[in-house]
Amino acid sequence: SLHDALPISIQLGAATFARLMDVEGMRQSPCDSNGARTYGPMTAETRPEIDRFAAELRQGDIPTRQFNIVPEAFRDLREFVQEVHRSGALLVAFTPPMPTDIQQSVAPKLAKFDAEIRQAFGPEDTFIDFNRPEYRFLSDDDLNYRESAHFSDLGAGRLVAELDRVITPIVNRRAAKPAPQVP
């Protein structure tokens, strides 16, 4: 069906289209060949931007930051997870780390959102919450952020290294298991 041929999200479709334009030489992308956008290093404005955004969140000045889950999107996520399970593929999901001050400004909303989203996943899935205390080495360090929402190049590298550290043993254990016997 047409639905099966379309990308899962508008953002993914736009990124795919933009990449095709890059490949054809029709424009120069701000992203590398893996689709990662380069935001550059942390700047002197990073800490004030984080502080400003955290204060706005605490005061409730940003109504779109309510962490509401759209029922149709949640249904689509559950269907996607079920399809991954049927295929036998490994599923790893993660919540990207926010600067600690921002996490603390939305802690109750973030915890509720996290608990609701996790209901879409099964016990066989790996879900990494990078906003937990053990990942403060990412969220506490201003050098990891370009501004209040995006990683600096340094932070992106640190996040990828941590994902690799966590995921590699899971992949290795999975590869070591014998394949199921088909009658």
Side-chain angles (χ1 to χ4, degrees):
S1 77
L2 179 61
H3 179 269
D4 294 333
L6 294 174
I8 292 174
S9 72
I10 293 171
Q11 182 180 9
L12 179 59
T16 301
F17 181 71
R19 183 69 187 135
L20 289 172
M21 290 181 65
D22 294 339
V23 168
E24 295 299 319
M26 298 169 72
R27 70 175 202 119
Q28 178 61 44
S29 175
C31 302
D32 65 17
S33 62
N34 295 316
R37 186 175 188 137
T38 299
Y39 287 97
M42 174 232 174
T43 68
E45 291 82 33
T46 299
R47 173 45 49 189
E49 169 65 15
I50 290 170
D51 292 341
R52 182 194 59 76
F53 192 61
E56 288 175 357
L57 290 168
R58 280 191 300 279
Q59 295 166 8
D61 292 345
I62 307 176
T64 59
R65 302 288 192 231
Q66 299 301 313
F67 296 95
N68 295 326
I69 298 174
V70 176
E72 295 81 12
F74 186 77
R75 184 193 67 236
D76 290 348
L77 175 62
R78 285 188 81 120
E79 288 175 8
F80 172 75
V81 169
Q82 290 167 358
E83 185 62 34
V84 170
H85 292 163
R86 281 192 290 277
S87 76
L90 174 65
L91 179 60
V92 176
F94 69 91
T95 304
M98 293 183 252
T100 301
D101 295 341
I102 292 172
Q103 288 177 36
Q104 292 170 346
S105 296
V106 293
K109 293 174 188 175
L110 187 59
K112 181 180 180 282
F113 175 82
D114 186 59
E116 291 174 3
I117 287 294
R118 285 177 185 251
Q119 292 176 18
F121 298 91
E124 67 273 32
D125 301 322
T126 299
F127 195 98
I128 307 164
D129 181 358
F130 281 115
N131 292 306
R132 295 186 51 80
E134 61 265 30
Y135 294 111
R136 287 279 162 84
F137 69 93
L138 291 169
S139 57
D140 280 352
D141 189 346
D142 288 352
L143 291 175
N144 288 330
Y145 295 93
R146 178 69 175 92
E147 28 76 11
S148 62
H150 294 101
F151 276 121
S152 64
D153 295 345
L154 176 67
R158 288 174 172 168
L159 176 65
V160 168
E162 186 61 16
L163 282 168
D164 185 55
R165 186 192 71 74
V166 173
I167 295 170
T168 297
I170 296 166
V171 170
N172 290 341
R173 279 192 306 273
R174 184 180 166 103
K177 288 184 181 177
Q181 298 297 318
V182 177

